[in-house]
Every structure is written in structure tokens, then in C-alpha cells.
Amino acid sequence: MLSAHHEAVSVNSRVKTFYHIHLISDSTGETLNTVARAAAAHYERFHPIEHTYALVRTPKQLHRVLQEVEGNPGIVLFTLVDDGLRRELETRCRMLEVPCISVLDPVVATLATYLNAQSEPRIGAQHTLDSEYFRRIEALNYTMLHDDGQHAETLDAADVVLVGVSRTSKTPTSMYLANRGIKAANVPVVPNVPLPATLEEARHPLIVGLVASPERIAQIRRNRLISLNQDEETPYVDREAITEELVATRRLCGRNNWPLIDVTRRSIEETAAAILNLLSERQYERSAQ
């Protein structure tokens, strides 16, 4: 028999238990979402139903949130600066007998001890319109302008250039990097279409090749054509033709000593993390010279 806080559902012929998780923030809630999903990933058989409440800054707003928590009991994670709201939330959660965790408290407390300083919390402090914020905006503007081989004459201004055949996630990976403040351009490798001369001439950016298995690319391309109501057979989805495209990409990267990343089984986040590691290693090597 399942408890009141858990229910069973069938997903792809497998029974999964789902549970409610309430994410309460006085800011955008991005921190909570990241922490919650990272933790939930450790329990594959359990499926979280997320209830996200952003910009909770008044007792009236908190009251509405608590009504939702009472109606759907589950784990409560929060980031609230206001002491009054924190106390009210923790008190009500104890009454409802649901776990209630301030996710930043252990880290903030450790920093206070290590730095021998008192915390000075400010709502949304991580989203201040400072130089870092405007660096990210500049990176986003550059990345959008240099998507899919556009404006190749200014490729050397990029921090990272992604090279690969169609459907190797170049654009979403570029956008993810841009949101981290990295100017990322991407250039497609297209059969019988010459690459821009500025690509191999570029010296400032880290140039990375993206590849995947022919089967994976063919599947994604076929789904793309179906979504466009174009399901006829073309070289675009032919595995042999795709294999030739991938061989050309590998040769290009080998000739120029550019690193390659196989994205077949990687998420966008994992691909971006690998690129950031390569960029960090490159910067370290250059600083050591």
C-alpha cells in the first residue's frame, strides 16, 4: 500500500512511483530547479512532480503556496531571504509533517566559517545587472549572429567555434555556452559546400568538431523531415551519405588538430561541459607558456 505522499503510475510498462516536490524561491527559482533535478536523478524509479513558485516575497504569496503544499504534500525546498517568511514556511511544514529544506544554508554557513565573515543576503543577488551579466548578453548576441555559419568574417572573435554535420546539436550547444558567457559560433559541414576560409585561419577561438553515430543522425534527420511533412528518401537521411559526411568532418578536425566530441549519447549540458573543460585546459596551457 502506498503512502498518502506517493502514488504509482505505469510508464512504458514499468511501474514508477511519483512524488510531489515544491520549489519555493523569492527569486527566479533557477537554483532550486537545478538542485532538485540533480538530486532526483539519483532515484530513477521515482518520478518527481515539480511545483515551482518564483518571486515569493510577501506573506500573501506564501499563504497561496502553503495551500498548494497542503493539497499536494511532498518535499519542500526553498531559498528565502526574509526571516519572517522562512519561519512561517518551516512552522507550517512541521505542522503538515513534510520535509522542508533551505538548500543554500549548508554552503552559506561553511563560507561564513571559512571566510570568518557574516552573510549579507540580498534577494536575487546572483542576478545583479553587473559586468558578468552584460558579458553574457554580449555572448548571446554574438552567438545568435553567428549561428549556422553566418558572418564567418568575424569567426576569430569567438571563444569557441563548433563544427559538424547537420543535427549534431551545434545550435543548442552554442546557445547553452552563450548563456555561460562564452561567445560561440557554429559552422555546418555540408557536402560540396566549401567551408569559410576564416575557419581554418582563426587563431583565437577553440574549434571543436561534433560527431555522432550515422544511425543517430539519420533518425534525427528523418524525424525532422516528418515534422516538415517531407518523408521522401533523400541523401540527407541516407546512412552511407551521412557516414561520408562524418568521415569528412573527422578528416577536417584531424588535419587541423581540432578536438572531436561524439555527442551520440550526450545531453547538451554534457557536451557543453566537455567543451568548457577543453577551453579551460587550453587557457591553462597558454598561461603556462
Side-chain angles (χ1 to χ4, degrees):
M1 187 71 179
L2 296 170
S3 73
H5 294 183
H6 304 79
E7 299 178 53
V9 293
S10 176
V11 179
N12 296 330
S13 301
R14 294 176 58 192
V15 174
K16 285 195 176 185
T17 299
F18 70 81
Y19 60 96
H20 297 280
I21 184 166
H22 299 269
L23 311 175
I24 306 168
S25 173
D26 51 21
S27 187
T28 63
E30 292 177 21
T31 301
L32 284 174
N33 275 278
T34 301
V35 171
R37 290 175 184 177
H42 289 256
Y43 303 92
E44 187 178 356
R45 292 189 301 108
F46 297 84
H47 180 70
I49 299 175
E50 294 182 2
H51 304 260
T52 303
Y53 318 92
L55 305 175
V56 178
R57 299 177 180 178
T58 68
K60 185 176 180 180
Q61 290 171 327
L62 181 60
H63 177 70
R64 292 173 182 165
V65 170
L66 288 167
Q67 287 180 318
E68 184 73 17
V69 175
E70 186 173 2
N72 299 281
I75 299 171
V76 173
L77 304 181
F78 73 91
T79 53
L80 296 175
V81 170
D82 185 272
D83 286 334
L85 295 180
R86 286 172 59 108
R87 286 194 298 270
E88 174 67 15
L89 176 61
E90 291 169 337
T91 299
R92 288 291 302 278
C93 285
R94 280 195 297 271
M95 293 172 60
L96 295 171
E97 298 183 338
V98 297
C100 181
I101 304 168
S102 175
V103 299
L104 291 180
D105 278 3
V107 180
V108 172
T110 300
L111 280 172
T113 301
Y114 183 77
L115 300 174
N116 192 27
Q118 187 171 353
S119 168
E120 300 175 355
R122 291 181 293 119
I123 294 175
Q126 70 270 40
H127 302 295
T128 302
L129 302 185
D130 56 9
S131 59
E132 176 66 21
Y133 172 84
F134 289 107
R135 187 170 73 89
R136 284 169 41 219
I137 296 300
E138 182 182 0
L140 283 164
N141 287 334
Y142 179 91
T143 299
M144 289 188 291
L145 194 64
H146 292 78
D147 183 40
D148 202 30
Q150 298 182 79
H151 298 281
E153 69 277 6
T154 50
L155 278 180
D156 202 46
D159 298 311
V160 171
V161 178
L162 304 182
V163 179
V165 304
S166 171
R167 302 297 140 186
T168 47
S169 302
K170 297 185 300 299
T171 295
T173 303
S174 296
M175 295 305 297
Y176 186 94
L177 290 169
N179 199 45
R180 298 286 296 271
I182 305 297
K183 292 181 181 178
N186 70 82
V187 177
V189 176
V190 182
N192 303 316
V193 176
L195 291 165
T198 50
L199 177 64
E200 297 190 48
E201 294 171 358
R203 295 294 176 264
H204 174 261
L206 169 70
I207 303 176
V208 180
L210 302 183
V211 294
S213 70
E215 295 77 16
R216 178 60 176 162
I217 293 176
Q219 178 188 28
I220 296 173
R221 290 183 179 183
R222 192 175 298 279
N223 290 339
R224 172 63 173 166
L225 290 181
I226 291 173
S227 71
L228 297 173
N229 295 317
Q230 300 175 11
D231 56 357
E232 69 272 12
E233 290 297 322
T234 71
Y236 183 67
V237 295
D238 180 76
R239 291 187 184 181
E240 289 188 8
I242 292 171
T243 299
E244 291 178 6
E245 293 179 44
L246 291 169
V247 168
T249 301
R250 290 181 181 276
R251 286 175 177 167
L252 171 70
C253 292
R255 185 171 67 247
N256 290 281
N257 199 29
W258 297 335
L260 270 171
I261 297 176
D262 190 326
V263 302
T264 304
R265 299 184 181 277
R266 290 179 186 261
S267 65
I268 300 301
E269 293 83 357
E270 289 171 325
T271 301
I275 293 167
L276 289 171
N277 283 342
L278 289 170
L279 189 61
S280 179
E281 290 170 8
R282 184 173 188 255
Q283 291 171 339
Y284 176 80
E285 289 171 359
R286 287 187 169 183
S287 65
Q289 291 176 353

